Amino acid sequence: MTDLTQLFDNNRAWAESITKEDPEFFSKLAGQQAPEYLWIGCADSRVPANEIVGLLPGELFVHRNVANVVLHTDLNCLSVMQFAVDVLKVKHIIVTGHYNCGGVRAAMHNKQLGLSDGWLRSIRDLYYEQRNKLSLIESEEAQLDLMCELNVKRQVANVSHTSIVQNAWHRGQPLSVHGFIYGLKDGHLKDLDVSVDNAEQIPEQYRLSPP
């Protein structure tokens, strides 16, 4: 229990420092949350969402999984998206990957991991699709960096193709989907310039008619 005790000690110190800075912070936070952003990121412990963008609790709605994947069959991720868009009325969905992602790296190799193999299948498919482009890059680390970027771009597309996002656009609700990537070596975020804010920006075959 010694390790867990340290966590509680850290928590008390954190709460005290927040209260000292803003005595009303927790009472206001308990009242409601009104984030403008949904962050869909990797579960990697080196990529703490709030800290990276300098936002406090209550300012960022967060969903994280291995390799920041968005699948049309993942009810967990889709439920978070639906709640964020329909209930909280977030204005931005930000898919954030990171360089040197272990999940992406695993999808580029054939070593079995167990249940995670099924989860990473879509990234393995992407790796196969991009094999010719990637084969032109000599460095394996550079290949991994590019794959991490390509994975974010694919997930931005997957988010944009959902009925959740498209119905928001049909309602005239302001909503944009973005793709960022985080550098573990320098702590900097990079915008991959794949933002989408209306159905005209996605391929016609993925556009859904109003309900």
Side-chain angles (χ1 to χ4, degrees), residues 100-111:
N100 197 26
C101 178
V104 175
R105 185 189 294 275
M108 296 171 66
H109 295 85
N110 59 8
K111 182 179 178 181

Side-chain angles (χ1 to χ4, degrees), residues 1-16:
M1 286 295 290
T2 304
D3 293 340
L4 296 181
T5 299
Q6 182 63 47
L7 296 182
F8 286 104
D9 291 341
N10 292 346
N11 167 254
R12 299 300 186 271
W14 171 79
E16 288 172 10

Side-chain angles (χ1 to χ4, degrees), residues 24 54 70 96-97 106 116 206-207:
E24 304 297 320
V70 178
T96 306
S116 300
Y206 295 107
R207 297 177 199 167

Side-chain angles (χ1 to χ4, degrees), residues 41-62:
C42 183
D44 193 301
S45 60
R46 300 168 294 177
V47 191
N50 285 72
E51 288 88 340
I52 286 174
V53 289
L55 294 179
L56 292 169
E59 296 179 325
L60 190 70
F61 203 57
V62 177

Side-chain angles (χ1 to χ4, degrees), residues 7-97:
L7 296 182
F8 286 104
D9 291 341
N10 292 346
N11 167 254
R12 299 300 186 271
W14 171 79
E16 288 172 10
S17 68
I18 292 289
T19 303
K20 187 181 231 181
E21 187 173 320
D22 180 1
E24 304 297 320
F25 178 80
F26 288 109
S27 60
K28 289 185 291 186
L29 189 65
Q32 65 174 0
Q33 64 168 337
E36 292 191 7
Y37 313 95
L38 166 60
W39 173 288
I40 299 177
C42 183
D44 193 301
S45 60
R46 300 168 294 177
V47 191
N50 285 72
E51 288 88 340
I52 286 174
V53 289
L55 294 179
L56 292 169
E59 296 179 325
L60 190 70
F61 203 57
V62 177
H63 173 79
R64 297 170 67 177
N65 61 53
V66 176
N68 44 273
V69 172
V70 178
L71 299 175
H72 70 281
T73 53
D74 180 12
L75 295 182
N76 186 349
C77 181
L78 294 179
S79 295
V80 171
M81 285 176 53
Q82 188 271 326
F83 191 87
V85 172
D86 294 351
V87 180
L88 298 178
K89 308 294 185 186
V90 298
K91 296 179 180 177
H92 303 275
I93 299 176
I94 304 169
V95 179
T96 306

Side-chain angles (χ1 to χ4, degrees), residues 7 33 74 98 104 132-133 156 161 173 179 190 204-205:
L7 296 182
Q33 64 168 337
D74 180 12
H98 65 94
V104 175
N132 293 331
K133 182 177 183 179
V156 167
H161 298 167
Q173 183 175 332
K190 175 183 176 183
E204 188 172 359
Q205 69 194 72

